[in-house]
């Protein structure tokens, strides 16, 4: 306030409570952000649904013609065999009809494996993978699974040893998933083990330390306890996986470079067969069965270790 001469003689301050207005603005801003978040979540769900539908439809549409091709190859082999053309002696083995049909069959089965792996991965991610729990006597089941790989190892001049205790307790789990896990790991070891190499498959029960889910972290007291687990180890000699590769072998479409005993690559990845999804599926199946898997590689040996609970 000024007098007639323009000299400031005082002041008037006017205060207004702005709390309600600011709270209203903050609420409106929070509501707007929540609405935007809901829109983003809905869009992500829509895209995820489109991806799942695409994978399901594509996998089905791919599997049907591949299955027909595989059946046609078998029929063609029978026809040519009856006509004496399949294994004709007039051509060298590398140019025979059986040789080229064998290539067709191998490539067809590889693509079928790829489609099946994609379907299984999609089902696991969607938490709809079917599990049928059953009691499994590993001492009876494991030699049966390893029988095929025994013949394959002998044909490659490899040694496959199976070690399983006769008094193991039964495992309550999904038989199909367990067979897929062990078969894929054995397939990898047979593929990468050099001639005269060793493959060792062992199953035992171990006690592993586990923390309860409701552990009181504030108290600082770790009330850990021992839990029995089945431990499946599959080791092979003659090949090591470099340390930088070990963290990537479970990534989708990643293939382990074939290496010598010193870890030096022998072939480029594009020269190797396989879908690149086998180990990815193995890890997801192990985790789906409430277990864990890890890989170690040193001193000329590579070991995959799978731990599964006695009862799922």
């Amino acid at each position: 306030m000024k007098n007639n001469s323009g000299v400031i003689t005082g002041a008037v301050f006017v205060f207004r409570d702005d709390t309600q207005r600011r709270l209203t603005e903050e609420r409106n801003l929070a509501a707007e952000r929540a609405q935007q978040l809901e829109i983003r979540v809905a869009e992500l769900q829509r895209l995820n649904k489109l991806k799942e539908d695409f994978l399901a439809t594509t996998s089905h549409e791919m599997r049907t013609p591949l299955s027909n091709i595989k059946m046609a190859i078998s029929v063609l082999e029978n026809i040519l065999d009856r006509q004496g053309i399949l294994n004709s002696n007039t051509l060298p083995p590398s140019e025979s009809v059986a040789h080229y049909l064998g290539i067709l069959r191998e490539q067809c089965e590889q693509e079928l494996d790829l489609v099946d792996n994609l379907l299984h991965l999609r089902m696991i991610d969607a938490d709809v993978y079917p599990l049928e729990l059953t009691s499994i006597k590993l001492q009876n089941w494991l030699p049966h699974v390893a029988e095929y790989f025994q013949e394959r190892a002998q044909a490659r001049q490899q040694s496959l040893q199976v070690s399983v205790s006769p008094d193991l307790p039964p495992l309550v789990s999904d038989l199909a998933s367990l067979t897929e896990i062990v078969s894929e790991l054995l397939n990898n070891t047979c593929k990468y083990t050099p001639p005269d190499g060793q493959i060792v498959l062992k199953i035992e029960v171990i006690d592993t330390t586990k923390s309860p889910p409701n552990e009181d972290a504030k108290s600082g007291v770790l009330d850990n306890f021992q839990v029995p687990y089945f431990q499946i180890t599959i080791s092979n000699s003659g090949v090591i996986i470099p340390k930088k590769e070990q963290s990537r072998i479970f990534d989708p479409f990643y293939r382990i470079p074939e290496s010598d005993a010193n870890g030096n690559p022998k072939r480029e990845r594009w020269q190797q067969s396989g879908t690149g999804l086998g180990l990815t599926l193995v890890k997801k199946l192990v985790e789906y069965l409430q277990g864990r898997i890890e890989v170690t590689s040193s001193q000329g040996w590579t070991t995959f270790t799978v731990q599964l609970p006695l009862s799922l």
Side-chain angles (χ1 to χ4, degrees), residues 91-96 99-100:
L91 295 173
S94 61
E95 298 180 6
S96 65
H99 172 71
Y100 290 108

Side-chain angles (χ1 to χ4, degrees), residues 96-112:
S96 65
V97 176
H99 172 71
Y100 290 108
L101 286 177
I103 294 176
L104 286 175
R105 180 186 298 278
E106 180 182 355
Q107 295 300 310
C108 182
E109 290 178 349
Q110 182 174 321
E111 292 305 306
L112 280 171

Side-chain angles (χ1 to χ4, degrees), residues 29-299:
L29 181 60
E32 183 180 354
R33 290 177 176 175
Q35 185 178 9
Q36 293 176 352
L37 183 59
E38 289 179 358
I39 294 174
R40 291 180 182 178
V41 170
E43 180 65 14
L44 288 175
Q45 291 176 343
R46 186 185 70 84
L47 293 176
N48 190 55
K49 182 67 166 54
L50 287 175
K51 180 191 71 174
E52 291 184 1
D53 292 344
F54 172 78
L55 284 175
T57 304
T58 305
S59 299
H60 174 74
E61 294 300 326
M62 290 175 62
R63 203 182 196 292
T64 300
L66 285 171
S67 299
N68 293 336
I69 292 172
K70 184 177 179 180
M71 181 178 63
I73 292 172
S74 298
V75 173
L76 186 58
E77 284 178 336
N78 292 331
I79 295 174
L80 295 177
D81 188 35
R82 289 197 301 266
Q83 295 178 354
I85 303 175
L86 184 63
N87 295 298
S88 176
N89 296 326
T90 59
L91 295 173
S94 61
E95 298 180 6
S96 65
V97 176
H99 172 71
Y100 290 108
L101 286 177
I103 294 176
L104 286 175
R105 180 186 298 278
E106 180 182 355
Q107 295 300 310
C108 182
E109 290 178 349
Q110 182 174 321
E111 292 305 306
L112 280 171
D113 289 340
L114 173 61
V115 173
D116 287 340
N117 288 344
L118 285 172
L119 281 171
H120 293 162
L121 288 172
R122 185 189 68 84
M123 294 170 69
I124 293 174
D125 290 337
D127 199 22
V128 294
Y129 189 81
L131 291 180
E132 185 176 347
L133 301 185
T134 183
S135 179
I136 308 168
K137 291 185 178 180
L138 297 177
Q139 53 269 43
N140 299 332
W141 165 81
L142 186 62
H144 177 71
V145 174
E147 184 177 358
Y148 164 75
F149 296 97
Q150 286 278 13
E151 298 177 358
R152 182 175 172 183
Q154 291 176 2
R156 293 169 173 250
Q157 290 82 47
Q158 301 164 344
S159 170
L160 174 57
Q161 302 174 9
V162 180
S163 175
V164 53
S165 176
D167 56 353
L168 285 177
L171 167 66
V172 178
S173 189
D174 181 63
L175 181 60
S177 300
L178 188 62
T179 303
E180 178 73 20
I181 291 169
V182 174
S183 297
E184 181 61 33
L185 291 177
L186 282 174
N187 178 63
N188 270 334
T189 55
C190 289
K191 181 190 302 183
Y192 291 101
T193 302
D196 299 326
Q198 292 181 304
I199 303 171
V200 179
L201 171 59
K202 182 179 180 181
I203 294 186
E204 58 186 337
V205 175
I206 65 167
D207 290 329
T208 183
T209 302
K210 187 176 182 181
S211 300
N214 58 347
E215 179 181 310
D216 188 0
K218 295 181 180 180
S219 67
V221 178
L222 301 179
D223 189 18
N224 296 333
F225 56 96
Q226 296 294 316
V227 178
Y229 269 74
F230 279 105
Q231 179 168 286
I232 306 173
T233 56
I234 300 179
S235 307
N236 64 309
S237 67
V239 174
I240 64 172
I241 304 175
K243 195 72 176 179
K244 62 180 180 180
E245 305 284 348
Q246 294 180 22
S247 60
R248 302 179 57 194
I249 60 175
F250 297 110
D251 293 345
F253 299 107
Y254 180 76
R255 297 176 182 175
I256 306 172
E258 186 178 359
S259 306
D260 57 23
N262 298 320
N264 300 317
K266 290 182 180 179
R267 295 187 298 176
E268 298 294 333
R269 294 176 192 170
W270 61 269
Q271 294 175 303
Q272 302 172 38
S273 61
T275 63
L277 287 177
L279 290 178
T280 305
L281 180 59
V282 165
K283 183 177 182 180
K284 285 186 175 290
L285 283 174
V286 169
E287 293 174 348
Y288 205 68
L289 297 180
Q290 302 174 11
R292 51 183 175 265
I293 182 173
E294 63 178 14
V295 59
T296 57
S297 187
S298 63
Q299 299 179 350

